Amino acid sequence: MTDQLVRVYLSATVPMLTRLPEHGLAATQAHAVTPMLREWYAEGDEEELEYVAFTRAAQDALQLLHHDPAAPRRRVVVSADLPASALGRGDGELGSSLVELRGVVAANAVAALHVDGVDAVPDVTAAAKVVMEALAGDPDAQFTVDGVEDHELEWYDPSELELLLRDAADQG
């Protein structure tokens, strides 16, 4: 019997993508459609649930940017298909999409790359500066973070990684 594949969404930064081909993505957690998410959004269809998990990964990418001030100010989400056995339980909280990862995510597991366009850089820059305050409950900071949601991440096929990295380096 084969292990069922699960689509997961990993928060990342552009520098993390540079290591992807040779080293994969070393992350301890990702977002996915979990039983707890399904229970919370009982009326949501599969596409809506996937979007929630994806959006949460994009939000978490702001925290990575906050902690890596040298990284280009673009949120990055990596969509990957992993065997269910590669995932551990998340936090178990109702509505949670978090899952634990049991190892490095190899480049051949990547289904798509999602990165902010250059037009999002000013809003992402502002949000990355205040994301920790927003998490602590500051309503003004949350307003700034929420403003990033107006930007849809651009989609790239994994074969376009080199082009994406070149563009991100050129445009900041």
Side-chain angles (χ1 to χ4, degrees), residues 12-16 19 61-73 128:
T13 62
V14 170
M16 291 170 73
R19 298 186 291 274
L62 288 174
Q63 293 176 56
L64 294 175
L65 291 172
H66 177 81
H67 295 296
D68 185 359
R73 306 284 90 181

Side-chain angles (χ1 to χ4, degrees), residues 97-152:
S97 59
L98 277 178
V99 292
E100 294 174 6
L101 299 177
R102 294 192 170 130
V104 173
V105 175
N108 65 357
V110 174
L113 304 163
H114 313 271
V115 181
D116 274 312
V118 69
D119 63 316
V121 169
D123 289 338
V124 171
T125 301
K129 286 180 184 175
V130 299
V131 66
M132 301 314 284
E133 289 88 347
L135 291 169
D138 181 319
D140 292 332
Q142 187 62 54
F143 181 79
T144 301
V145 168
D146 289 345
V148 172
E149 299 301 318
D150 293 339
H151 300 281
E152 291 289 327

Side-chain angles (χ1 to χ4, degrees), residues 10-143:
L10 296 99
S11 306
T13 62
V14 170
M16 291 170 73
L17 290 181
T18 63
R19 298 186 291 274
L20 177 62
E22 290 186 36
H23 305 289
L25 284 177
T28 58
Q29 63 184 16
H31 290 272
V33 177
T34 63
M36 299 308 287
L37 183 63
R38 281 186 201 287
E39 188 175 337
W40 183 257
Y41 289 95
E43 300 299 316
D45 65 20
E46 194 67 20
E47 189 174 319
E48 290 170 320
L49 295 172
E50 293 279 346
Y51 186 75
V52 169
F54 174 87
T55 301
R56 289 178 178 173
Q59 292 166 346
D60 286 355
L62 288 174
Q63 293 176 56
L64 294 175
L65 291 172
H66 177 81
H67 295 296
D68 185 359
R73 306 284 90 181
R74 296 180 184 209
R75 296 171 297 164
V76 176
V77 175
V78 176
S79 298
D81 295 321
L82 301 178
S85 61
L87 306 178
R89 297 187 60 131
D91 61 16
E93 187 175 310
L94 187 61
S96 176
S97 59
L98 277 178
V99 292
E100 294 174 6
L101 299 177
R102 294 192 170 130
V104 173
V105 175
N108 65 357
V110 174
L113 304 163
H114 313 271
V115 181
D116 274 312
V118 69
D119 63 316
V121 169
D123 289 338
V124 171
T125 301
K129 286 180 184 175
V130 299
V131 66
M132 301 314 284
E133 289 88 347
L135 291 169
D138 181 319
D140 292 332
Q142 187 62 54
F143 181 79

